[in-house]
Amino acid sequence: MHEKRAAKIYMRELIASIALYTIILMAAIRFGRPMEPGVLRTVVLLTPMIGFAAALWAIVRQIQRADEYIRMRLLENVALGAAITAGLTFTYGFLETAGYPKLSMFTVWCVLCLSVAAVQLIRKVLDR
Protein backbone atom coordinates (compact mmCIF):
# COMPACT_ATOMS: atom_id res chain seq x y z
CA MET A 1 0.00 0.00 0.00
CA HIS A 2 1.32 3.44 -0.87
CA GLU A 3 2.64 5.30 2.19
CA LYS A 4 0.58 8.48 1.69
CA ARG A 5 -2.61 6.50 1.21
CA ALA A 6 -1.87 4.42 4.31
CA ALA A 7 -1.13 7.61 6.29
CA LYS A 8 -4.48 9.11 5.24
CA ILE A 9 -6.35 5.98 6.27
CA TYR A 10 -4.49 5.93 9.59
CA MET A 11 -5.22 9.58 10.33
CA ARG A 12 -8.89 9.11 9.49
CA GLU A 13 -9.13 6.07 11.79
CA LEU A 14 -7.13 7.71 14.58
CA ILE A 15 -9.07 11.00 14.47
CA ALA A 16 -12.37 9.09 14.48
CA SER A 17 -11.27 7.06 17.50
CA ILE A 18 -10.11 10.20 19.35
CA ALA A 19 -13.44 11.86 18.57
CA LEU A 20 -15.26 8.79 19.87
CA TYR A 21 -13.10 8.84 23.01
CA THR A 22 -13.82 12.55 23.56
CA ILE A 23 -17.57 12.14 23.17
CA ILE A 24 -17.71 9.13 25.48
CA LEU A 25 -15.41 10.85 27.98
CA MET A 26 -17.65 13.91 28.19
CA ALA A 27 -20.72 11.71 28.65
CA ALA A 28 -18.98 9.55 31.26
CA ILE A 29 -17.92 12.59 33.27
CA ARG A 30 -21.34 14.23 32.93
CA PHE A 31 -23.34 11.18 33.94
CA GLY A 32 -20.86 9.03 35.87
CA ARG A 33 -19.43 11.42 38.41
CA PRO A 34 -22.77 12.33 40.04
CA MET A 35 -23.79 8.65 40.33
CA GLU A 36 -23.65 6.82 43.62
CA PRO A 37 -20.48 4.76 44.10
CA GLY A 38 -20.83 1.20 42.85
CA VAL A 39 -20.36 -1.13 39.93
CA LEU A 40 -22.59 0.84 37.53
CA ARG A 41 -20.70 4.09 38.22
CA THR A 42 -17.39 2.29 37.72
CA VAL A 43 -18.55 0.84 34.39
CA VAL A 44 -19.83 4.23 33.21
CA LEU A 45 -16.56 5.94 34.17
CA LEU A 46 -14.56 3.27 32.32
CA THR A 47 -16.53 3.57 29.05
CA PRO A 48 -14.04 6.05 27.50
CA MET A 49 -11.72 3.06 27.19
CA ILE A 50 -13.86 2.05 24.20
CA GLY A 51 -12.41 5.04 22.33
CA PHE A 52 -8.93 4.18 23.61
CA ALA A 53 -9.34 0.62 22.29
CA ALA A 54 -10.41 2.02 18.92
CA ALA A 55 -7.27 4.20 18.83
CA LEU A 56 -5.14 1.19 19.72
CA TRP A 57 -6.80 -0.74 16.91
CA ALA A 58 -5.96 2.07 14.46
CA ILE A 59 -2.34 2.11 15.60
CA VAL A 60 -2.00 -1.68 15.27
CA ARG A 61 -3.47 -1.55 11.76
CA GLN A 62 -1.00 1.18 10.77
CA ILE A 63 1.94 -0.82 12.11
CA GLN A 64 0.74 -3.85 10.15
CA ARG A 65 0.63 -1.75 6.98
CA ALA A 66 4.19 -0.45 7.49
CA ASP A 67 7.28 -2.08 6.05
CA GLU A 68 10.04 -3.59 8.20
CA TYR A 69 12.19 -0.45 8.24
CA ILE A 70 9.32 1.76 9.44
CA ARG A 71 8.39 -0.80 12.09
CA MET A 72 11.97 -0.94 13.35
CA ARG A 73 12.27 2.84 13.39
CA LEU A 74 8.97 3.18 15.28
CA LEU A 75 10.01 0.54 17.80
CA GLU A 76 13.28 2.40 18.41
CA ASN A 77 11.42 5.69 18.87
CA VAL A 78 8.92 4.19 21.30
CA ALA A 79 11.73 2.47 23.24
CA LEU A 80 13.64 5.75 23.54
CA GLY A 81 10.45 7.59 24.53
CA ALA A 82 9.72 4.95 27.17
CA ALA A 83 13.25 5.27 28.55
CA ILE A 84 12.89 9.05 28.76
CA THR A 85 9.50 8.62 30.45
CA ALA A 86 10.97 6.17 32.96
CA GLY A 87 13.72 8.64 33.82
CA LEU A 88 11.33 11.55 34.19
CA THR A 89 8.79 9.65 36.27
CA PHE A 90 11.45 8.23 38.58
CA THR A 91 12.92 11.70 39.00
CA TYR A 92 9.51 13.15 39.82
CA GLY A 93 8.88 10.30 42.25
CA PHE A 94 11.91 11.48 44.22
CA LEU A 95 10.62 15.06 44.02
CA GLU A 96 7.29 13.91 45.47
CA THR A 97 9.18 12.64 48.52
CA ALA A 98 10.64 16.15 48.77
CA GLY A 99 7.14 17.62 49.01
CA TYR A 100 6.18 18.21 45.37
CA PRO A 101 2.50 17.50 44.61
CA LYS A 102 1.45 13.98 43.58
CA LEU A 103 0.61 13.65 39.91
CA SER A 104 -2.14 11.60 38.32
CA MET A 105 -1.26 8.49 36.32
CA PHE A 106 -2.73 10.34 33.33
CA THR A 107 0.43 12.44 33.43
CA VAL A 108 2.63 9.44 32.65
CA TRP A 109 0.72 8.76 29.43
CA CYS A 110 1.07 12.40 28.36
CA VAL A 111 4.81 12.34 29.13
CA LEU A 112 5.21 9.12 27.11
CA CYS A 113 3.36 10.55 24.10
CA LEU A 114 5.38 13.78 24.22
CA SER A 115 8.64 11.86 24.65
CA VAL A 116 7.98 9.62 21.65
CA ALA A 117 6.95 12.63 19.55
CA ALA A 118 10.10 14.51 20.60
CA VAL A 119 12.31 11.52 19.76
CA GLN A 120 10.66 11.17 16.35
CA LEU A 121 11.09 14.88 15.63
CA ILE A 122 14.72 14.99 16.76
CA ARG A 123 15.64 11.86 14.82
CA LYS A 124 13.92 13.22 11.71
CA VAL A 125 15.87 16.50 11.98
CA LEU A 126 19.18 14.68 12.62
CA ASP A 127 18.66 12.35 9.64
CA ARG A 128 18.59 15.21 7.17
Side-chain angles (χ1 to χ4, degrees):
M1 182 179 297
H2 190 267
E3 285 182 41
K4 287 186 180 183
R5 183 170 162 240
K8 283 183 183 181
I9 293 169
Y10 170 63
M11 289 309 297
R12 187 172 50 242
E13 291 174 351
L14 188 62
I15 289 170
S17 65
I18 291 170
L20 176 65
Y21 171 82
T22 303
I23 291 166
I24 296 173
L25 176 65
M26 290 187 304
I29 290 170
R30 168 79 168 92
F31 298 110
R33 283 191 178 167
M35 294 173 73
E36 292 294 321
V39 174
L40 182 59
R41 180 177 191 245
T42 301
V43 170
V44 169
L45 291 173
L46 285 174
T47 57
M49 293 307 294
I50 295 168
F52 179 86
L56 183 60
W57 175 77
I59 292 166
V60 168
R61 284 176 42 88
Q62 179 62 9
I63 291 170
Q64 290 172 339
R65 287 188 284 255
D67 65 23
E68 293 82 14
Y69 175 76
I70 298 296
R71 286 182 191 175
M72 179 198 66
R73 187 76 172 188
L74 180 59
L75 175 61
E76 291 172 354
N77 292 344
V78 170
L80 288 168
I84 291 167
T85 301
L88 291 172
T89 56
F90 269 86
T91 300
Y92 197 83
F94 290 118
L95 292 174
E96 284 180 350
T97 62
Y100 282 65
K102 299 238 184 254
L103 294 178
S104 167
M105 288 299 293
F106 288 115
T107 307
V108 176
W109 177 246
C110 295
V111 170
L112 177 60
C113 290
L114 290 172
S115 296
V116 172
V119 167
Q120 288 180 317
L121 181 64
I122 291 167
R123 290 185 81 190
K124 186 173 186 172
V125 168
L126 292 176
D127 285 347
R128 288 184 185 181

